[in-house]
Amino acid sequence: HQSENHMHLQGLDNETETPVILVSVELDNSPALAEIFSQAQGIHKDIQLIRLEVKRLCEQNSCMFHGTSTSTTERDSIGADIKARAENVLARLRDMDGTAHKLEETHGANSAVTRIARTQYACLSNGFHNAMFDYNEAEMSHRENCKAQIQRQMEIVGHEVTGEEVEEMIEKGQWNIFSDNVVTEGRTARLALSQVEKRHQELLDLESRIKSIHEIFLDIALLVEEQGSMLDSIQNNVQKTDEGIQDALFKIGRAKHVWHLCKIKLLILHFPLFFS
Amino acid sequence: CSCIRNQSFSSAEIISGVIKSVKKDGEWKVLIVDHMTTRILSSCCKMSEILAEGVTIVEDINKRREPISSLEAIYLITPSEKSVRGLIGDFKDAAFTYKAAHIFFTDTCPDALFAEIGRSRVSKFVKTLKEINVAFLPYESQVFSLDDPTTLYSFYSSQANEAKDKMLENVAEQIATLCDTLKEYPAVRYRKGPEENARLAEEVYQRLIAHKAENPSMGEGPDKARSQLIIVDRGFDPISPVLHELTFQAMAYDLLDIKQDIYSYQTTGIGNAKEKDVLLDEDDELWVQLRHMHIADVTKKVTELLRTFCESKRMCTDNANIKDLSQILKKMPQYQKELSMYSTHLHLAEACMKKFKASLDKLCEVEQDLAMGANADGEPLKDAMKSIVPVLLDNDVGAYDKIRIILLFIFHKKKGIGEENLAKLIQHANIQTDKSIIYNLQNLGCNIIGRNAGKTLPDRKERTESTYQLSRWTPIIKDIMENAIEDKLDKKQWPFIAEPAPINTTQTAVSARFGHWHKNKSPTEYRSGPRLIVFVIGGVSYSEMRCAYEVTRATDGKWEVLIGSSNILTPTSFLNDLKTLDQVPNPDP
């Protein structure tokens, strides 16, 4: 993106009667802006991809209840995908944070480009947090569904269990389903018991997926915490002062001044018609 | 350029509609606001929401700004001289502050200013020009504000002030705009007595007619004929804005330093202890649940909710309290936002109770007795002076708290007190520098120095619900709201500007509420039942806001009560406003 110099004939200089041409030099913030927007776009895309993965996971999870056989490996691979993307997003967010810091040092905290960087960073972090929260919710709701199914199947084999008991069984790893009062004969019973085993395995896999992503959740929580929730308030985002703007405007002023001094040269080079 | 000067009446989508309408994929924009629109926008949307619609930075039109000439700008501004000058200035001479301008005025732009825009260079860069109706601040789902704390002064100052007429017109226009947005065409009534009430009511009535001519759908609907708009003056209930309230929101805003709805506190999370800022608004679901509850119930409720939450996530906790929260957070970082909410409200409740226990225990008892005219057992107060003098002499009680006691004492006397007695009280309390606060209440029509029989405070409804001992007082506006809804509000004391159409008593099904109109819900989700809109001239207190919700709930959703004013009062801000009523106005800041 090239800087455009806009030239404008302001009038005649009173003393010398030479045309005065004002030039406003575009502040060179567009490359910085372009970089931020491109970084933001990349992170945004990754977050969208995480959302898509979460959707896929939900579909996989609900398949289970519609009789379609699904494999745990599918779910695990989605989980691993999400984990990898999340780590990637975290790294890119850290990069963006770094960029924002550098911009702050070069252009000042109040400069447009710094504020744009900070806002993008804050909103993307927030969006990321939400996407990962949705992932957690998807796993948690699947967990509840598995538990419920286990309960139902246990009923079928004549051994009713409460939700609490299922929790205990999961935690302690005790699956005393082959105790008294359990019907183990017959096709129905065998099917039910095999379902229970499957769901049990799923729950274990789910737990391990969640555990493996715990670190990432901690990192995200820290990220969000560092920003504070106030950054989402618009009032907080409106430009507060015009400190530092003086510097920026001065640069434009200087550019005008420089061109004013060179106006004779300029006229000859660019406006030969004036002298015809 | 394609400048379209038209009126946009999209109620539900006003702000986000504005931004969405100029959104272009892949292109970011700058949003430029002025003071009023900052507040309106901030109460309707979050930064992340407008970012999702393509806004990457929000600037203040009155500050000097860096050019960002690669981006187009959306100007969301009031059609005031100051803002229009700012707009024109951005494109003056060779300035190329932005690539193009999309202009949205919050109200009709005066012809002169509009012509100025047309004449200036900016007109070459205008891609959109629209007027939308957003002249007021939707503070809460049932509370609106005109965001102008100078109104009390304009209406009631003892100094001659030319601002009054203009202010009255502005207020009337804003109220009419509110009705327009809500598609209401209510019957206008006012409290008989102060001249301002009648004048404002008449002006609102005229404006409503004008708005209806442009927007005939106002007031459409079988039940809408029953909607009412009541104009009332602050002086009609001077007790509510002065009393110490013990419901969460009212108490917090009274006792703690909460500015612009931001509560700050120290906390430890995953990282180290730091200062945390939290916005208390309706996006915080827990706040919405707790804000009208009595403080005694709040901590209990939050602790209970937190415990339930932890149990549901299979988190073993013996004590779900403030100290454990950072531990819980480390085990379940994915629930940071929820845990953060619990943390905020536990801290907030604790802060309120701390302040209360430090100094307010005794005060509240005296205040309630004065306000009710009787003690907790129902026995009429015999010697009020005896109970207040110790408070006034107590050096640990702050000046404003003493003034509040004195005022409640005076109101308790209904007809005012003798000049000498008042002087004595002021002396006991040692508040000579602030005494104008007390005398200036006379500007609001309150009896301070009593001579002979004057207006007394209105008769109160009998209330039989059990209340906490220190929360016996009910704001007078609640009686008015209930009576208006039941069609029992006396027509002589609360006359109509124009007789309303005859009411048929058939009730229709209730649909969605005003509640989330500003949160991007679809525009068809509007309320079919009648509304009662109350406007208080000079400021509304949190306890009165609470009444709107209580009364609405009591009608089982058949009616919706909205309340609003020029601004929202805390007792401190009210006393501060009163202080300057007899002074010369400040020059424009």
Side-chain angles (χ1 to χ4, degrees):
Chain A
H1 180 90
Q2 291 293 318
S3 284
E4 292 166 39
N5 296 334
H6 303 285
M7 297 199 284
H8 163 78
L9 181 63
Q10 199 187 40
L12 292 181
D13 182 288
N14 287 334
E15 289 163 36
T16 62
E17 287 200 329
T18 43
V20 174
I21 293 166
L22 265 179
V23 183
S24 62
V25 177
E26 188 185 287
L27 246 201
D28 207 10
N29 56 21
S30 22
L33 272 184
E35 194 196 331
I36 296 165
F37 289 148
S38 135
Q39 271 184 330
Q41 172 73 334
I43 299 174
H44 178 74
K45 208 158 133 208
D46 268 348
I47 296 176
Q48 295 304 94
L49 287 171
I50 292 178
R51 287 193 183 280
L52 277 173
E53 297 280 326
V54 174
K55 244 200 191 127
R56 260 183 69 207
L57 184 67
C58 288
E59 278 160 23
Q60 282 283 312
N61 290 342
S62 64
C63 274
M64 181 186 94
F65 298 103
H66 297 135
T68 332
S69 78
T70 61
S71 72
T72 305
T73 37
E74 189 56 47
R75 273 187 280 281
D76 275 347
S77 102
I78 297 177
D81 250 352
I82 292 179
K83 182 178 177 193
R85 283 202 200 281
E87 279 165 350
N88 192 11
V89 171
L90 272 170
R92 290 172 123 191
L93 280 171
R94 285 190 200 108
D95 280 345
M96 200 172 189
D97 191 24
T99 310
H101 267 120
K102 275 202 220 92
L103 287 171
E104 200 170 325
E105 278 160 25
T106 343
H107 299 262
N110 276 320
S111 94
V113 99
T114 309
R115 287 168 51 223
I116 286 177
R118 286 264 152 245
T119 309
Q120 290 285 345
Y121 174 72
C123 292
L124 286 167
S125 308
N126 210 29
F128 178 44
H129 179 279
N130 291 341
M132 293 305 289
F133 177 80
D134 288 343
Y135 168 58
N136 188 65
E137 285 298 279
E139 295 278 39
M140 290 302 109
S141 97
H142 184 60
R143 194 175 186 284
E144 290 304 302
N145 291 337
C146 286
K147 263 172 64 184
Q149 238 224 3
I150 289 176
Q151 277 181 277
R152 275 198 301 275
Q153 303 293 7
M154 294 295 274
E155 246 180 77
I156 291 175
V157 301
H159 183 86
E160 288 185 23
V161 282
T162 64
E164 274 306 307
E165 285 169 338
V166 178
E167 282 293 350
E168 261 186 64
M169 283 157 72
I170 298 172
E171 267 162 47
K172 294 185 185 150
Q174 284 168 1
W175 293 85
N176 301 328
I177 51 180
F178 298 107
S179 60
D180 332 304
N181 304 329
V182 171
V183 175
T184 52
E185 293 298 318
R187 191 168 170 271
T188 320
R190 275 199 296 275
L191 273 175
L193 291 174
S194 105
Q195 284 293 319
V196 170
E197 270 180 52
K198 280 214 189 82
R199 298 293 88 81
H200 173 222
Q201 188 55 43
E202 259 173 59
L203 285 173
L204 291 176
D205 292 334
L206 196 152
E207 292 284 326
S208 99
R209 280 201 297 275
I210 289 294
K211 266 207 188 82
S212 84
I213 214 169
H214 186 247
E215 276 295 318
I216 295 191
F217 276 117
L218 277 173
D219 284 339
I220 297 174
L222 190 60
L223 189 72
V224 172
E225 202 175 86
E226 276 164 2
Q227 287 161 26
S229 57
M230 283 315 302
L231 276 177
D232 212 13
S233 155
I234 289 181
Q235 209 152 258
N236 233 51
N237 273 280
V238 177
Q239 175 196 10
K240 287 187 181 59
T241 72
D242 29 30
E243 281 168 26
I245 305 300
Q246 280 294 66
D247 266 349
L249 294 175
F250 177 64
K251 285 187 192 135
I252 293 185
R254 281 191 74 209
K256 272 196 230 159
H257 183 71
V258 165
W259 281 109
H260 188 79
L261 287 175
C262 300
K263 63 184 181 292
I264 300 169
K265 258 199 214 152
L266 173 68
L267 288 173
I268 294 170
L269 287 174
H270 295 285
F271 294 88
L273 293 174
F274 261 88
F275 298 97
S276 63
Chain B
C1 94
S2 54
C3 302
I4 317 156
R5 186 181 187 178
N6 66 27
Q7 303 264 339
S8 163
F9 292 95
S10 56
S11 51
E13 293 177 341
I14 291 176
I15 302 293
S16 49
V18 157
I19 299 176
K20 274 197 183 97
S21 69
V22 297
K23 178 183 183 184
K24 223 197 239 169
D25 272 331
E27 270 186 32
W28 292 101
K29 289 194 172 57
V30 180
L31 176 63
I32 304 175
V33 290
D34 57 29
H35 177 77
M36 178 66 167
T37 53
T38 303
R39 305 264 292 145
I40 295 173
L41 188 67
S42 215
S43 70
C44 289
C45 314
K46 296 286 178 213
M47 193 66 219
S48 50
E49 285 168 3
I50 62 175
L51 192 118
E53 302 303 338
V55 171
T56 190
I57 187 173
V58 187
E59 305 269 52
D60 181 344
I61 199 169
N62 294 315
K63 300 240 162 40
R64 300 188 74 183
R65 284 159 280 123
E66 259 177 76
I68 312 177
S69 43
S70 54
L71 301 183
E72 296 183 356
I74 302 173
Y75 287 83
L76 178 61
I77 51 180
T78 53
S80 67
E81 237 185 79
K82 204 170 172 193
S83 295
V84 170
R85 294 276 147 76
L87 165 68
I88 291 177
D90 281 350
F91 294 87
K92 213 158 70 156
D93 300 331
F96 272 82
T97 322
Y98 309 109
K99 201 158 128 190
H102 303 267
I103 306 170
F104 295 90
F105 285 121
T106 58
D107 206 342
T108 319
C109 184
D111 288 332
L113 287 176
F114 192 77
E116 232 183 284
I117 295 174
R119 281 196 299 270
S120 65
R121 191 162 166 268
V122 63
S123 59
K124 294 196 185 70
F125 296 90
V126 174
K127 281 187 165 174
T128 315
L129 184 79
K130 271 194 178 154
E131 289 158 340
I132 56 179
N133 277 332
V134 263
F136 59 91
L137 218 122
Y139 183 70
E140 283 179 6
S141 55
Q142 285 173 244
V143 179
F144 63 94
S145 163
L146 306 186
D147 201 33
D148 190 351
T150 63
T151 309
L152 190 77
Y153 186 88
S154 298
F155 272 82
Y156 300 117
S157 106
S158 2
Q159 300 282 329
N161 107 75
E162 309 109 24
K164 188 168 178 176
D165 288 334
K166 194 78 192 28
M167 172 73 78
L168 200 113
E169 282 169 23
N170 285 344
V171 170
E173 179 57 38
Q174 287 173 296
I175 297 175
T177 302
L178 169 73
C179 294
D180 196 330
T181 307
L182 297 172
K183 295 205 192 332
E184 293 283 349
Y185 191 63
V188 183
R189 58 198 307 190
Y190 60 96
R191 180 172 96 93
K192 194 174 170 95
E195 161 206 48
E196 293 85 9
N197 295 358
R199 274 184 67 195
L200 180 60
E202 176 66 46
E203 190 72 36
V204 171
Y205 177 65
Q206 294 301 333
R207 301 283 173 142
L208 277 176
I209 295 177
H211 273 256
K212 176 128 175 144
E214 301 240 5
N215 183 13
S217 69
M218 278 166 71
E220 247 168 39
D223 261 339
K224 291 300 189 186
R226 306 171 70 200
S227 292
Q228 292 180 39
L229 166 66
I230 300 182
I231 309 268
V232 72
D233 54 305
R234 180 66 269 164
F236 116 107
D237 175 3
I239 296 179
S240 297
V242 151
L243 199 68
H244 278 98
E245 282 281 336
L246 298 180
T247 51
F248 202 25
Q249 181 187 40
M251 190 177 185
Y253 277 77
D254 185 5
L255 304 183
L256 309 174
D257 188 24
I258 298 179
K259 288 201 178 64
Q260 305 204 319
D261 306 312
I262 299 172
Y263 170 55
S264 301
Y265 66 102
Q266 289 285 354
T267 185
T268 322
I270 299 217
N272 299 324
K274 61 197 309 236
E275 172 113 320
K276 194 168 149 93
D277 283 340
V278 181
L279 189 62
L280 297 173
D281 71 351
E282 291 184 332
D283 269 342
D284 180 338
E285 290 154 0
L286 192 52
W287 174 243
V288 174
Q289 245 188 309
L290 301 171
R291 65 186 169 183
H292 298 140
M293 285 174 72
H294 193 277
I295 191 74
D297 299 327
V298 169
T299 311
K300 231 188 291 162
K301 182 87 177 149
V302 181
T303 316
E304 174 197 310
L305 286 170
L306 179 58
R307 190 172 297 124
T308 314
F309 181 80
C310 290
E311 273 167 15
S312 76
K313 310 293 175 195
R314 291 143 40 237
M315 182 77 231
C316 309
T317 42
D318 295 319
N319 281 316
N321 62 33
I322 290 185
K323 295 178 199 60
D324 297 328
L325 273 171
S326 66
Q327 282 310 311
I328 300 174
L329 181 60
K330 289 198 179 86
K331 290 198 192 138
M332 300 196 291
Q334 53 269 53
Y335 295 113
Q336 182 197 45
K337 291 206 172 157
E338 287 77 4
L339 292 169
S340 186
M341 255 186 343
Y342 293 117
S343 167
T344 299
H345 295 292
L346 282 172
H347 276 97
L348 188 57
E350 203 180 68
C352 288
M353 283 311 288
K354 208 161 149 201
K355 276 269 163 114
F356 177 74
K357 286 185 191 137
S359 54
L360 291 184
D361 223 316
K362 283 273 142 228
L363 266 185
C364 287
E365 201 182 318
V366 175
E367 284 187 358
Q368 289 293 315
D369 288 351
L370 289 170
M372 301 300 292
N375 66 12
D377 297 321
E379 294 162 5
L381 217 50
K382 285 186 207 81
D383 190 355
M385 187 71 89
K386 207 161 113 191
S387 42
I388 71 167
V389 169
V391 175
L392 301 182
L393 294 172
D394 186 344
N395 285 328
D396 289 334
V397 176
Y400 271 24
D401 284 340
K402 289 182 182 172
I403 292 179
R404 287 157 79 168
I405 291 271
I406 293 177
L407 287 174
L408 288 167
F409 175 76
I410 297 172
F411 300 144
H412 154 71
K413 290 294 178 187
K414 294 203 184 349
K415 299 197 170 93
I417 62 175
E419 176 87 60
E420 266 183 36
N421 276 343
L422 180 55
K424 226 183 279 176
L425 288 175
I426 292 176
Q427 199 182 25
H428 285 321
N430 199 16
I431 49 132
Q432 287 85 342
T433 42
D434 296 323
K435 67 178 182 192
S436 63
I437 296 176
I438 302 175
Y439 288 98
N440 287 345
L441 267 160
Q442 293 175 113
N443 293 26
L444 270 60
C446 302
N447 295 326
I448 301 293
I449 309 290
R451 269 152 227 140
N452 35 25
K455 299 176 293 260
T456 65
L457 292 175
D459 282 323
R460 301 309 310 275
K461 269 183 141 183
E462 270 295 309
R463 295 205 176 259
T464 50
E465 314 104 45
S466 65
T467 52
Y468 283 90
Q469 272 199 11
L470 299 181
S471 296
R472 289 173 274 144
W473 169 258
T474 309
I476 305 178
I477 199 69
K478 191 168 183 183
D479 295 359
I480 309 302
M481 287 172 180
E482 289 171 346
N483 288 340
I485 286 177
E486 290 163 27
D487 202 22
K488 289 194 190 124
L489 194 60
D490 185 283
K491 291 202 182 127
K492 287 200 206 71
Q493 290 175 358
W494 300 83
F496 286 92
I497 290 282
E499 262 313 310
I503 293 167
N504 65 40
T505 47
T506 55
Q507 310 229 347
T508 50
V510 168
S511 73
R513 296 163 38 121
F514 173 61
H516 294 275
W517 72 274
H518 56 302
K519 299 277 182 203
N520 284 336
K521 290 279 170 91
S522 75
T524 55
E525 200 173 52
Y526 101 109
R527 218 199 123 76
S528 64
R531 281 198 176 99
L532 174 63
I533 305 170
V534 177
F535 183 79
V536 186
I537 306 176
V540 67
S541 69
Y542 286 96
S543 51
E544 292 167 322
M545 283 157 53
R546 188 187 70 227
C547 292
Y549 294 91
E550 290 172 345
V551 173
T552 301
R553 218 182 349 257
T555 69
D556 252 334
K558 294 199 188 69
W559 278 80
E560 185 178 52
V561 181
L562 306 182
I563 190 166
S565 181
S566 44
N567 57 316
I568 294 170
L569 301 170
T570 61
T572 306
S573 76
F574 184 48
L575 297 190
N576 284 338
D577 287 344
L578 287 170
K579 203 168 181 180
T580 53
L581 276 187
D582 59 341
Q583 291 169 18
V584 182
N586 280 328
D588 219 1

